[in-house]
Amino acid sequence: MDVTSEIKTNDFKFDLLEYSVVIAMLCLSALVGVYYAFINKQRTLKDYMLGGQTMGVFPVTMGLMASFTSGLTILGIPTEIYLYGTQYLAVNFSIAIFTTIVAQFFVPVYYKLQVESVFEYLELRFNKHVKVMGIIMNTMLMVLYLPVSMYAPSVTFSQVTGLSISFVAVVISAVCIFYTSVGGLRAVMWSDVLQNTFSLCGILFVVFAGFSNLGGVLEVLRINEEGGRLEMFNMNPDPFERHTFWTVAIGLIFMNLNLAVMPTAVQRYMSVATLKEAKRILFGAAVSFYIVFNLIACMGLILYARYHKCDPVAAGIVKSHSHMLPLYVMEVGKDYPGLAGLFMAGLASAALSSIAGWLNAVGGTLYKGIKDVYFPDVKHSEETQARITKTVVVISGIVCCSLVFVVEKLGTLLQLVNTILGVMTGATLALFVLGIFFPRVNTKGAIAGTIASFLVSSWIAVNAQYYMMVGKLRFPAKITSIDYCPLTAIDNFNTSSALLFDYTGVGSPTVADDSVARIFQISYNYYVIIGFLFGIIVGVVVSLLTEAPDMSTLNPDLFSPYVHRFLPEKMLQARPDHQNYHLAELRPCIKINNYPIYKETVYNSEKELQTV
């Protein structure tokens, strides 16, 4: 089928109806913030950060699903499938595993301690310096991740509307910063519900229209099979293959365990009243992700079925394969008025959901972390605390927006995002696992393990990205073609031959210059595992070589319930009948040899506060 004969560049523009759909979504999101800022006011920091712990299961589940599904996911996965095939769908085998691990091993610890932020756990388990280290690492991740999240919808809107990327980025960021800063977690959660509705409707519309226009599901699958795109069980154990069943399934189990340690996720678990509800949220989000993720994958199959004989990038229609999905949406949208606007609103909605969650969580953790550690004697009223947190949110959003424009030359979106998350998640996950599962690990071991993890995985990732940018490390895609492009596109192709691929085998090869060390060729999905293992090994070894913590001063609730059977008797006796209560507050009174002696407040199953 001739692609360019049906689509011309000046067709990629919104009309009034498309703009109206997008503007309606942005205005409704802003109105949610206005409602919670001026009508249903969030007066205290707890209201602002945790919604007063009275949030319902449904909005929190939608918010957590938004953590899974960002604008990067909607653009990145279809591009991945078009270029490299469906091997990435092996993530389906990891979702149930990492969800169960988070629900059974991590969430009960946070819930029993009733931490307002996940970093409070680090201070209780180790000390304030470890807490600050955790906050710094999370802030670094935000600074690296959010500009990529903002870039994806910005460049897409620019492509289809003709507006500049900078203008679109500023508008999206401004709306997000507004309703997040003024409305707090409640505004973020209910905006997530609204925005996820736009996202899901847009995805469903594109999928159904795509299958219908291309001859049905079976025809789309047939074309993808002939093109070598249908691939799931490539069981090659080679860790230097970019994607195999093992690199995807195992790597993404560890990658998605960030749901156990990231403040955006833990904040959502803690916003409901009971542990049972928190687990329901996790499993509800997992089921939702199964559905949404595979719908997004269908868009990748549709892209290949549509453009398998005229690659739009090689033909000069779009500049990047990440722009192919918007290209297709605009093409189909000519027959379905409003579809392009609905999809773009959904794409922006997914980005807004992710960005808002991060900003809301980071605002509180930065303020509380710095104040409690470095200015413990400074007292602020609840309203002042909320006001300062809102200011931090605004500043953080502006900083991240200003970094949007360094993203464009850093590789495909999916691989870039997983590289960033892999480096930071490996180190952060190692830190919390050392605390929750290893009672013998002390503060020195925790710090040494985290730093070692970060340095090793960063060293590998930065060098790999460098070699990719200079062309010494490449991952050629599966076969693409311009056989059915117009003659004008074929003439232009002579200047862009590097954009056409001819690999027809299984998997995706890694092509590296002789100067590229083997370690830098390892699958990017394994960065998180390398960092995690280095962190655990170094943390345990350093702890064994230094003074052991005084077990009698550590509360057993700091460890996973599955570890309790291995704890020494003197630790279990530190708080009599501790298994009969949930801990509502756990704050150190004094420290002996750098380990806290705790003052405890507990509540029974009806959540009536009692003081021990």
Side-chain angles (χ1 to χ4, degrees):
M1 183 181 292
D2 184 351
V3 177
T4 52
S5 65
E6 298 179 4
I7 309 174
K8 296 181 173 57
T9 303
N10 60 9
D11 287 333
F12 305 158
K13 301 293 181 288
F14 272 18
D15 59 21
L16 182 60
L17 178 60
E18 318 297 344
Y19 275 113
S20 298
V21 176
V22 177
I23 293 172
M25 183 277 295
L26 294 175
C27 290
L28 288 172
S29 298
L31 287 174
V32 173
V34 170
Y35 173 77
Y36 283 108
F38 301 106
I39 300 175
N40 190 347
K41 294 184 179 181
Q42 311 300 288
R43 298 183 181 278
T44 68
L45 185 61
K46 188 172 184 178
D47 285 339
Y48 187 84
M49 293 297 298
L50 300 179
Q53 287 192 300
T54 59
M55 295 297 296
V57 171
F58 174 69
V60 180
T61 301
M62 294 289 279
L64 190 59
M65 189 183 76
S67 299
F68 283 107
T69 311
S70 66
L72 298 169
T73 308
I74 295 175
L75 288 179
I77 291 177
T79 303
E80 169 69 26
I81 290 175
Y82 175 86
L83 291 175
Y84 298 103
T86 58
Q87 185 60 73
Y88 195 79
L89 292 181
V91 69
N92 280 306
F93 296 92
S94 69
I95 296 173
I97 297 174
F98 69 72
T99 300
T100 301
I101 292 173
V102 174
Q104 295 299 115
F105 292 94
F106 290 88
V107 174
V109 176
Y110 304 141
Y111 208 86
K112 203 158 193 178
L113 298 175
Q114 286 292 290
V115 292
E116 290 184 0
S117 99
V118 68
F119 301 112
E120 286 188 9
Y121 172 83
L122 297 177
E123 182 174 11
L124 298 173
R125 173 63 175 87
F126 299 111
N127 62 24
K128 64 183 181 180
H129 303 296
V130 179
K131 175 184 178 180
V132 171
M133 181 175 66
I135 292 174
I136 291 173
M137 291 183 61
N138 181 72
T139 304
M140 289 172 57
L141 177 57
M142 180 197 72
V143 171
L144 292 171
Y145 176 77
L146 289 194
V148 185
S149 295
M150 294 178 184
Y151 171 80
S154 299
V155 73
T156 302
F157 268 93
S158 176
Q159 174 190 346
V160 301
T161 64
L163 300 172
S164 69
I165 295 177
S166 57
F167 175 79
V168 176
V170 168
V171 171
I172 292 176
S173 301
V175 172
C176 184
I177 292 170
F178 171 75
Y179 75 76
T180 304
S181 61
V182 302
L185 185 66
R186 288 181 181 274
V188 171
M189 292 292 193
W190 284 109
S191 294
D192 285 345
V193 173
L194 169 69
Q195 292 158 1
N196 281 341
T197 301
F198 274 91
S199 298
L200 184 59
C201 290
I203 292 169
L204 285 171
F205 206 158
V206 172
V207 169
F208 287 134
F211 281 134
S212 175
N213 290 348
L214 294 169
V217 175
L218 294 180
E219 178 64 13
V220 169
L221 291 176
R222 183 192 65 79
I223 295 172
N224 277 270
E225 184 177 17
E226 290 180 354
R229 261 58 182 183
L230 299 186
E231 182 179 300
M232 177 71 76
F233 296 103
N234 173 13
M235 309 307 284
N236 186 349
D238 186 357
F240 299 99
E241 288 281 330
R242 179 178 178 271
H243 277 175
T244 66
F245 178 87
W246 304 113
T247 61
V248 174
I250 297 177
L252 293 182
I253 287 174
F254 282 83
M255 187 83 70
N256 287 298
L257 282 177
N258 63 8
L259 290 176
V261 298
M262 291 299 168
T264 50
V266 175
Q267 183 186 37
R268 284 163 167 76
Y269 311 145
M270 302 306 299
S271 67
V272 294
T274 67
L275 175 60
K276 183 178 180 180
E277 288 181 334
K279 290 184 176 182
R280 285 173 57 195
I281 288 165
L282 256 172
F283 289 113
V287 171
S288 301
F289 182 60
Y290 266 115
I291 297 171
V292 174
F293 176 83
N294 286 285
L295 285 172
I296 293 173
C298 287
M299 294 195 292
L301 298 174
I302 290 169
L303 285 184
Y304 183 74
R306 177 66 182 93
Y307 300 120
H308 66 290
K309 292 185 177 180
C310 182
D311 181 271
V313 177
I317 301 170
V318 292
K319 295 181 180 180
S320 167
H321 286 99
S322 297
H323 301 172
M324 287 178 55
L325 184 58
L327 169 71
Y328 181 71
V329 170
M330 293 302 293
E331 176 186 351
V332 176
K334 293 190 297 183
D335 298 325
Y336 300 94
L339 171 61
L342 179 62
F343 178 80
M344 295 303 168
L347 181 63
S349 294
L352 285 171
S353 296
S354 300
I355 297 167
W358 278 83
L359 291 178
N360 181 256
V362 167
T365 54
L366 275 176
Y367 162 66
K368 289 284 288 182
I370 293 174
K371 175 190 171 298
D372 292 349
V373 171
Y374 297 108
F375 306 99
D377 297 328
V378 176
K379 304 298 181 183
H380 291 144
S381 67
E382 289 284 357
E383 290 191 359
T384 300
Q385 292 183 60
R387 192 179 305 116
I388 295 174
T389 302
K390 294 175 183 180
T391 303
V392 174
V393 167
V394 172
I395 295 173
S396 301
I398 292 173
V399 170
C400 292
C401 181
S402 67
L403 296 175
V404 167
F405 312 105
V406 302
V407 175
E408 191 164 6
K409 296 184 179 182
L410 297 179
T412 62
L413 290 176
L414 186 65
Q415 182 163 341
L416 174 61
V417 170
N418 281 1
T419 297
I420 294 172
L421 290 177
V423 170
M424 304 306 297
T425 298
T428 307
L429 183 62
L431 175 58
F432 280 87
V433 168
L434 286 170
I436 292 175
F437 294 95
F438 293 87
R440 177 59 177 78
V441 168
N442 58 24
T443 300
K444 294 178 180 178
I447 294 175
T450 305
I451 293 175
S453 171
F454 177 75
L455 291 178
V456 169
S457 53
S458 295
W459 173 65
I460 297 173
V462 169
N463 277 279
Q465 284 292 318
Y466 167 75
Y467 287 123
M468 289 171 59
M469 291 176 67
V470 298
K472 293 185 177 182
L473 180 62
R474 297 181 294 109
F475 306 97
K478 294 181 181 292
I479 187 169
T480 55
S481 171
I482 58 166
D483 290 348
Y484 282 70
C485 288
L487 293 177
T488 53
I490 295 176
D491 291 339
N492 292 335
F493 174 71
N494 293 329
T495 63
S496 58
S497 58
L499 298 175
L500 205 62
F501 305 102
D502 59 4
Y503 181 70
T504 57
V506 176
S508 51
T510 299
V511 178
D513 186 83
D514 292 339
S515 62
V516 181
R518 190 68 165 157
I519 187 62
F520 303 134
Q521 301 176 38
I522 197 166
S523 172
Y524 68 95
N525 285 322
Y526 280 164
Y527 294 164
V528 61
I529 299 178
I530 294 172
F532 174 75
L533 292 178
F534 260 90
I536 295 297
I537 293 171
V538 171
V540 170
V541 170
V542 170
S543 296
L544 291 176
L545 295 177
T546 54
E547 182 182 3
D550 184 353
M551 297 297 183
S552 64
T553 65
L554 292 177
N555 193 292
D557 288 336
L558 292 166
F559 305 98
S560 172
Y562 294 92
V563 177
H564 286 184
R565 69 187 68 179
F566 304 108
L567 297 177
E569 190 64 26
K570 61 181 179 180
M571 182 185 294
L572 294 174
Q573 293 174 351
R575 180 162 65 89
D577 300 325
H578 71 277
Q579 292 179 338
N580 296 330
Y581 297 92
H582 292 296
L583 199 60
E585 287 187 10
L586 186 62
R587 298 291 182 270
C589 294
I590 60 173
K591 287 190 176 182
I592 300 177
N593 296 328
N594 271 337
Y595 294 100
I597 303 295
Y598 294 108
K599 178 180 180 181
E600 304 166 11
T601 303
V602 299
Y603 61 87
N604 61 20
S605 59
E606 287 76 34
K607 206 168 184 179
E608 296 172 352
L609 293 181
Q610 302 175 349
T611 301
V612 176

